[in-house]
Amino acid sequence: MRGLLLGAVCALGLVSLPAQAQDYTFSTTSLTPEAAVIAAQAALESCRDSGYQVAVAVTDRHGVPLALVRDRFAGPHSPETATRKAYTAASFNMDTTALGLETQADKAASGIRHVTGVLALGGGMPIQAAGSLVGAIGVSGAPGAEADDGCAQAGIDSIQDELDF
């Protein structure tokens, strides 16, 4: 009787047969710590070449820090700021300059700025491989968002060829 009931329930689609493991799991790709260090160092060097003392943070796809480097004269606030920019870029999979514009006080998404850890200031960029988010980079300390963005892009450029393989 029990088998008959189970068969009827399955026939109605109310219970499925044993699922495959792939129905309950998924795989993701994320930056390695080695790639994060390369990107962070390249961004730091780019800023140095322009005369800026900065901090650079690189996170995995979830916004968890993998690498952090601070130049000797970068402000004491810059490591936290760089980390929050990278976290924000990873969280929203968009650069923080664009997010800053989309979350201004007069915009519908302005409340995002009140989420813990989010920093909608330029200098944070997602890092992608084959169109998927794999990490993010944040730079803090250059004179303005455009300069922070330029250094962050230099960090991404330093690893992009390997990511594209």
Side-chain angles (χ1 to χ4, degrees), residues 4-108:
L4 182 61
L5 180 60
L6 181 59
V9 169
C10 286
L12 292 173
L14 299 175
V15 173
S16 63
L17 295 175
Q20 301 294 321
Q22 65 265 21
D23 293 336
Y24 293 100
T25 63
F26 65 92
S27 297
T28 61
T29 303
S30 193
L31 284 181
T32 63
E34 294 81 8
V37 167
I38 292 167
Q41 190 64 42
L44 181 76
E45 290 300 325
S46 176
C47 276
R48 276 183 178 170
D49 289 348
S50 297
Y52 312 140
Q53 293 280 304
V54 301
V56 181
V58 180
T59 68
D60 66 14
R61 65 177 288 114
H62 306 290
V64 177
L66 293 171
L68 175 65
V69 61
R70 177 186 161 270
D71 218 339
R72 67 194 86 158
F73 299 117
H77 65 283
S78 58
E80 178 184 350
T81 304
T83 301
R84 288 179 59 195
K85 288 177 180 184
Y87 167 82
T88 301
S91 293
F92 294 97
N93 193 14
M94 68 185 301
D95 69 81
T96 56
T97 297
L99 185 68
L101 294 172
E102 294 297 319
T103 60
Q104 292 176 354
D106 62 334
K107 303 283 185 167

